[in-house]
Amino acid sequence: MNHSPFSVVALVALTISCSACDKFKPALPEVEKAPSPATPVSPADKERTTFTQDAQKDLDELRTMIAGLKAQAAKAGQEANTSLQADIEKLETELRATQQRLTALKAATEDTGQQLKAAFATSLDQLKYAIEKVRKSAE
């Protein structure tokens, strides 16, 4: 193959210009990552979070106990079943109210948190007592 001197020079110039392209590009400025917005967590918030997590576990256990009472009511005779069903409906209503108090406590501010915590604790104790009372009467 015969190459003219002009085509060889053009090929060399093209090769040099293509390889040198990257060297002449201006450097891109480094973009700094914005600092992550660290929201400080107060000790009261940590305490409330721990309390609400434990309280939710308690409510889940009580929900399971009520489900057990429902199963027991299904096995009971007609007269016992009617009485037990009424008690279980009351327990479920109390359970929903207690769950709502816990939800309100989770969303509360520090100012209202202590009042809601006390109201929730009272409601939880009453629910536990009522479940125990129904459980004993169903035996």
Side-chain angles (χ1 to χ4, degrees):
M1 293 179 96
N2 257 343
H3 295 293
S4 69
F6 179 70
S7 64
V8 173
V9 171
L11 182 61
V12 170
L14 180 65
T15 306
I16 291 173
S17 67
C18 288
S19 64
C21 278
D22 291 344
K23 295 178 184 174
F24 294 115
K25 287 185 180 178
L28 295 175
E30 290 187 25
V31 178
E32 292 183 29
K33 293 182 180 179
S36 61
T39 53
V41 179
S42 70
D45 287 341
K46 287 181 183 180
E47 178 187 337
R48 184 175 9 160
T49 300
T50 302
F51 178 83
T52 57
Q53 288 172 347
D54 292 341
Q56 187 62 57
K57 289 176 188 176
D58 288 345
L59 285 177
D60 292 342
E61 289 173 12
L62 295 175
R63 190 173 283 113
T64 302
M65 291 174 79
I66 292 172
L69 289 171
K70 277 184 172 180
Q72 189 176 352
K75 294 178 184 178
Q78 182 65 22
E79 188 176 309
N81 185 8
T82 305
S83 174
L84 193 53
Q85 283 293 350
D87 290 339
I88 290 172
E89 287 176 18
K90 289 177 187 176
L91 291 175
E92 288 177 327
T93 301
E94 286 184 46
L95 178 67
R96 282 191 297 275
T98 305
Q99 183 68 56
Q100 288 174 348
R101 285 186 181 92
L102 180 60
T103 302
L105 176 60
K106 288 177 183 179
T109 63
E110 282 188 51
D111 297 336
T112 60
Q114 290 301 320
Q115 292 172 341
L116 292 173
K117 184 177 177 181
F120 170 78
T122 301
S123 181
L124 184 64
D125 288 342
Q126 290 172 349
L127 180 60
K128 287 178 181 181
Y129 176 77
I131 289 174
E132 188 61 27
K133 187 176 174 184
V134 171
R135 192 181 66 76
K136 285 182 180 180
S137 70
E139 291 178 347

